[in-house]
Amino acid sequence: RPPPPPATASRPPAGHPSSPPLPSWGASASPAEIAFFQDVLARHRPDVVIANYAWISPAFRPAASAPQPFSRQPSAFHPPLAVLTHDVRHRQLHLRDGRLVEILGEHTPLETELAQLAPADALIAIQSTEAAVFARHFPAKTIVTAPMSAALRPLPLPRDPVALFVGSGHGPNLAGLRWFLAHVWPAVLRELPA
């Protein structure tokens, strides 16, 4: 009888202290991710692609491909590309003692942000002030302002206390959560012991 196959070590989950580090927020797509995106485009031929962040757009449209006027007619290889910008990233600095400082290690230079947005046919800004900034830099692009599209409504209170944080690994989200856990959460636990 043959011996059993050797046991294989499972990889720790992403974010676990012994797992490889995750790419930084805003990191460019890897060659494998670009190949995946291009394969999906070729197989499914979508009418339009909406990239969720600026740094993703070059993966959908190589820099050598000139953006086309935004229309519903996709080209043979590159459907119209819109980028949901979320923020004007080159302006994400903070004031400390009246001076601009970078405190999160995530500053995106203007030139980088413009290069990331250049492949897009249209930009979707979440605020009119951001749309105006993008319009100054890209006067020929379609710029759309799409603020929060859902109306918030209160939910019934749960029987038991519930805390939920919804956010990504973006620096301001992490900094805010760390501050909350250090300065507010202890008071919550004193008032509502488990």
Side-chain angles (χ1 to χ4, degrees), residues 151-159 162 164:
L152 299 178
R153 59 185 172 92
L155 296 173
L157 292 176
R159 276 191 5 237
V162 174
L164 172 67

Side-chain angles (χ1 to χ4, degrees), residues 25-98:
W25 181 264
S28 298
S30 70
E33 290 168 324
I34 292 170
F36 172 79
F37 295 149
Q38 293 299 316
D39 179 60
V40 169
L41 290 177
R43 283 189 293 122
H44 297 284
R45 297 200 176 274
D47 294 324
V48 66
V49 172
I50 301 175
N52 197 30
Y53 292 99
W55 61 85
I56 298 172
S57 67
F60 288 105
R61 177 154 316 131
S65 303
Q68 305 299 314
F70 192 71
S71 74
R72 296 182 62 85
Q73 301 301 318
S75 68
F77 301 105
H78 302 291
L81 173 63
V83 174
L84 178 56
T85 60
H86 292 281
D87 296 299
V88 179
R89 291 185 53 84
H90 72 271
R91 288 188 166 187
Q92 286 191 340
L93 291 171
H94 305 273
L95 286 175
R96 180 177 290 154
D97 298 325

Side-chain angles (χ1 to χ4, degrees), residues 97-129:
D97 298 325
R99 298 175 59 201
L100 288 174
V101 294
E102 170 51 47
I103 61 172
L104 299 170
E106 295 184 347
H107 180 65
T108 300
L110 171 62
E111 300 76 25
T112 301
E113 185 169 28
L114 296 180
Q116 292 171 340
L117 295 171
D121 302 301
L123 302 177
I124 305 167
I126 59 173
Q127 298 176 24
S128 59
T129 54

Side-chain angles (χ1 to χ4, degrees), residues 170-185:
H170 184 42
N173 294 346
L174 293 174
L177 182 59
R178 287 183 185 118
W179 179 89
F180 176 83
L181 291 173
H183 300 280
V184 176
W185 192 244

